[in-house]
Amino acid sequence: MKTKSTIIWLVLALALFAFICFWQNHWRPAAPVALRLLPGLRAAEVTSVEVTPAGALAFRASRTNGVWQLEKPFRYPAQTAAIETLLTTLEKVTPALRITAAEVGAHKNSDTDFGFDNPQFRLDLTAGEQSWHLLIGNKTAPGDQVFVRVVGTEGVFVADVNWLQFLPATVTAWRDTSLVDATAAYDWIVITNGAKVIELHRDPASRLWRMTWPLTPARADSDRINRALQQLRSASVLRFVTDDAKADLATFGLQPADLDLRLGNGTNLTAGIHVGKATAEIPTQVYARRDGWNSVVTVTNDVFTPWRAGVNAFRDAHLLSLTAPVAEIEVTGTNHFTLQLESSGEWQVVGEKFSVDAEMVRDYIRTLAGFQVAEFRKDITTGTDLQNFGLTTPPQTEQITLRSAVGGTNAVIVQLLFGTMETNKIYVKRADENYVYALANSDFTQLKTHGWQFRDRQVWNFSETNIVQITSRQNGKTRTVLRNGVNSWVPAPGSQGIVDPFALEETAHRLSDLTALGWVERNYSKPEELGFNPKNLSLTVELKSGEKLAMDFGMELPSANTGVAAVTLDGERWAFVFPPAAFFYVSKYLTIPADAP
């Protein structure tokens, strides 16, 4: 019995092979068919595509307003790109040849031989009142072409097989694996995590997020929220578990869900995602379901980690965000000063004549903008609370106001009130909020507290070629070195010591263009607190103009390889931190040892 069946199949195979060989040798026309397979097809006009793979159920997708959606065997978003790629390719398919109806009819078993009695695919297309029905049969003997019948059109076409790669074998191949629409815009989000509900809204003008529940309102961490949204937009469905509308959602942890995300724009709910428990097979994946669809899917749990956080994780941890360029800084408290940006683009300290170091001002603003909340201390405060935190008006420490316009009472960007300082923190509050924050003391102490600290750090600026001599005084002794030219230095008459002319030339160069690391004190009344005493090193640099520039040295700062020095500028004494590189040369080549004669 088995031998007989084998012989029958062998005879049929040989008959099919003989037919194909005969067709290739005698029916092939001299020139290829120039017409398209579907001459009236326009991919952009197609509104419905139904595919029936051999031995499988048919599935259909429809297009509405440019969006494709699966309609059969269930409703679910479809992969628009995959469908349109098929249609665009199909629109351009040109048959290699056409077998006429007469030639097909002359062959008794044509449907079987061409593969139309059990086609690889049935393809039905609709565009308005037009429709096309295709049967995709067997491949030709070499395997690079395929027989195609267009129902209603006489004959059989032979076309290249490459376009078949865009025909899906299952409905899953056309299912949209996106968790949410990657192009959708959202301006509100509601997060429900058990009993916890968080509502976020984005300001249409600033594009910054704010929390509207449970705090009303509070600045939100826009960067965190935008990153979490981007992660959500990039997330893909890993597996389609069930499409049964009657499935027991509780078994997936979806009734009720562990986490609910609702995202919308204006008055519209754009996307709703419900997240269940982890899958037993892969604990890093969780069950999920989208609003409006019956399908239960699996998604990597990492996608939802940012949304499971507590309320404070969604709050902006920065004390301020600069919504406009700063033109005025007013500091009130123990020391009151105001910095203003002039029309020339230069900064000035109101009431002072010295030039301001613009980079110092920019650093001050950057420091403020970089402050991170160490603790959200209290969200609902009373007058008594503010008094306990040292945040009554005026605050215990100081108040900093940033304005976008000089003297603009309506141009306040932010106003910060700093209160009680404890061991590791200081309390701070924004004037436009009711919340009290704690800031690390190490952050707050970075801020300059006096207007004079913003003075331009240039101490001297002249060419070393203008130096006539440098006199050192230390431990009751005096030494003077004379400059006779480039790299030419000698001891003055009566001065002793070995002179290194090249080293002294470099020392003179660094003194001539002297820039402080920072100002320490102005018109100080207790020089001994800064390490100044008559035995310390002092220098006098005499120039060709006859001008004499004097400098005293105070305490050393070993950890910074430098020390404190003082000069007279505009009739006032200014103490500053000496630049380390210049300090090295001064210490090595201009000091007088205690045991020197």
Side-chain angles (χ1 to χ4, degrees):
M1 185 67 180
K2 291 184 178 179
T3 303
K4 184 177 179 180
S5 299
T6 302
I7 292 172
I8 292 173
W9 282 109
L10 179 60
V11 170
L12 288 173
L14 290 172
L16 177 60
F17 178 73
F19 168 74
I20 293 173
C21 290
F22 178 79
W23 164 75
Q24 288 179 327
N25 291 330
H26 300 285
W27 286 358
R28 187 181 297 274
V33 177
L35 295 176
R36 302 288 190 192
L37 178 66
L38 303 173
L41 178 67
R42 299 292 181 270
E45 298 173 0
V46 176
T47 56
S48 176
V49 181
E50 183 168 316
V51 180
T52 308
L57 294 175
F59 50 91
R60 183 176 67 249
S62 299
R63 174 162 51 187
T64 304
N65 297 325
V67 178
W68 285 94
Q69 180 174 290
L70 290 167
E71 300 288 352
K72 176 184 176 181
F74 44 73
R75 294 180 68 252
Y76 198 80
Q79 288 193 37
T80 296
I83 298 173
E84 293 188 350
T85 297
L86 169 64
L87 294 176
T88 302
T89 303
L90 192 57
E91 179 184 337
K92 300 175 182 178
V93 172
T94 301
L97 57 88
R98 178 178 182 180
I99 304 171
T100 66
E103 292 169 331
V104 173
H107 186 70
K108 294 183 179 180
N109 299 313
S110 60
D111 278 357
T112 299
D113 294 337
F114 288 125
F116 296 136
D117 57 351
N118 185 28
Q120 296 183 62
F121 292 95
R122 296 176 187 271
L123 183 60
D124 299 292
L125 309 174
T126 302
E129 297 182 356
Q130 284 188 294
S131 62
W132 297 266
H133 308 280
L134 285 75
L135 303 178
I136 293 88
N138 294 330
K139 293 181 181 178
T140 61
D144 60 344
Q145 293 178 317
V146 65
F147 296 110
V148 181
R149 171 173 288 169
V150 180
V151 179
T153 302
E154 293 185 349
V156 174
F157 297 97
V158 179
D160 188 272
V161 298
N162 289 335
W163 67 278
L164 297 183
Q165 65 181 301
F166 302 114
L167 276 171
T170 66
V171 65
T172 300
W174 267 5
R175 297 183 75 156
D176 185 6
T177 58
S178 301
L179 190 61
V180 298
D181 183 354
T183 63
Y186 308 113
D187 59 17
W188 60 264
I189 304 170
V190 177
I191 307 162
T192 305
N193 190 358
K196 176 180 65 183
V197 178
I198 300 173
E199 294 185 15
L200 306 166
H201 284 77
R202 185 165 60 180
D203 182 84
S206 68
R207 310 301 293 167
L208 296 176
W209 288 92
R210 295 184 70 81
M211 184 182 297
T212 55
W213 184 266
L215 302 177
T216 312
R219 291 173 297 112
D221 188 340
S222 294
D223 289 340
R224 175 194 173 93
I225 296 168
N226 290 333
R227 285 195 303 269
L229 281 175
Q230 184 56 42
Q231 192 173 0
L232 204 60
R233 289 187 176 104
S234 303
S236 296
V237 170
L238 301 176
R239 181 164 59 96
F240 293 94
V241 179
T242 181
D243 299 290
D244 186 358
K246 298 181 180 180
D248 183 6
L249 297 180
T251 62
F252 303 108
L254 291 167
Q255 190 68 38
D258 288 348
L259 173 69
D260 296 296
L261 286 177
R262 292 179 174 83
L263 303 94
N265 194 349
T267 58
N268 297 322
L269 172 66
T270 307
I273 305 167
H274 310 282
V275 186
K277 64 184 182 181
T279 67
E281 304 87 347
I282 307 176
T284 57
Q285 295 181 17
V286 292
Y287 295 109
R289 186 173 64 87
R290 292 173 55 176
D291 263 355
W293 313 106
N294 295 321
S295 303
V296 175
V297 302
T298 65
V299 184
T300 180
N301 189 40
D302 291 347
V303 173
F304 305 109
T305 300
W307 304 102
R308 298 183 188 275
V311 172
N312 286 340
F314 289 94
R315 299 177 68 174
D316 189 353
H318 292 88
L319 277 182
L320 66 127
S321 296
L322 294 177
T323 56
V326 178
E328 183 174 88
I329 304 169
E330 183 179 6
V331 179
T332 58
T334 307
N335 302 291
H336 185 179
F337 64 91
T338 302
L339 284 156
Q340 293 180 342
L341 184 63
E342 298 180 304
S343 58
S344 63
E346 296 181 351
W347 286 87
Q348 72 164 139
V349 177
V350 175
E352 299 284 3
K353 297 180 180 179
F354 55 72
S355 298
V356 169
D357 189 323
E359 186 58 33
M360 279 188 175
V361 180
R362 287 190 286 269
D363 281 344
Y364 186 88
I365 295 171
R366 282 193 291 264
T367 299
L368 283 173
F371 278 167
Q372 294 275 332
V373 172
E375 178 188 357
F376 294 96
R377 186 62 181 85
K378 197 169 181 63
D379 294 328
I380 301 176
T381 57
T382 64
T384 301
D385 293 327
L386 295 179
Q387 185 175 359
N388 292 337
F389 289 124
L391 291 168
T392 52
T393 304
Q396 182 167 320
T397 305
E398 60 188 45
Q399 176 178 299
I400 300 174
T401 305
L402 303 185
R403 299 186 180 91
S404 59
V406 173
T409 56
N410 296 321
V412 174
I413 300 172
V414 68
Q415 189 174 70
L416 302 176
L417 289 77
F418 294 88
T420 304
M421 183 177 289
E422 297 184 352
T423 304
N424 297 315
K425 59 189 175 185
I426 182 172
Y427 296 113
V428 58
K429 178 184 176 297
R430 290 172 52 124
D432 59 341
E433 295 179 346
N434 197 34
Y435 314 120
V436 174
Y437 309 103
L439 181 71
N441 275 346
S442 56
D443 287 341
F444 177 72
T445 54
Q446 296 179 58
L447 295 175
K448 291 176 172 52
T449 56
H450 298 77
W452 53 261
Q453 291 175 300
F454 290 91
R455 179 176 184 142
D456 188 342
R457 290 173 295 163
Q458 186 80 59
V459 180
W460 292 330
N461 185 20
F462 53 85
S463 172
E464 64 266 26
T465 60
N466 289 331
I467 296 177
V468 174
Q469 66 181 36
I470 300 176
T471 299
S472 303
R473 296 178 180 82
Q474 189 174 10
N475 297 315
K477 303 178 179 67
T478 301
R479 284 185 177 178
T480 301
V481 289
L482 306 177
R483 187 179 187 278
N484 294 328
V486 178
N487 295 322
S488 177
W489 291 81
V490 296
S495 293
Q496 300 181 13
I498 299 174
V499 172
D500 183 337
F502 294 99
L504 280 174
E505 188 77 1
E506 180 62 24
T507 305
H509 170 70
R510 293 183 178 273
L511 285 174
S512 67
D513 185 20
L514 187 61
T515 301
L517 282 187
W519 300 106
V520 176
E521 194 58 84
R522 173 191 191 184
N523 288 333
Y524 46 88
S525 59
K526 297 180 179 180
E528 65 279 2
E529 292 182 354
L530 298 175
F532 293 107
N533 71 67
K535 293 184 178 181
N536 284 3
L537 174 68
S538 66
L539 299 177
T540 301
V541 180
E542 186 173 340
L543 306 180
K544 291 178 180 179
S545 63
E547 183 180 4
K548 295 181 180 181
L549 305 174
M551 178 185 301
D552 301 326
F553 285 84
M555 68 175 66
E556 292 192 10
L557 305 172
S559 61
N561 297 315
T562 186
V564 175
V567 294
T568 299
L569 299 173
D570 304 323
E572 296 180 317
R573 292 296 287 171
W574 290 80
F576 63 96
V577 178
F578 209 79
F583 189 78
F584 167 80
Y585 282 94
V586 169
S587 300
K588 190 170 181 64
Y589 301 106
L590 292 178
T591 55
I592 304 174
D595 58 355

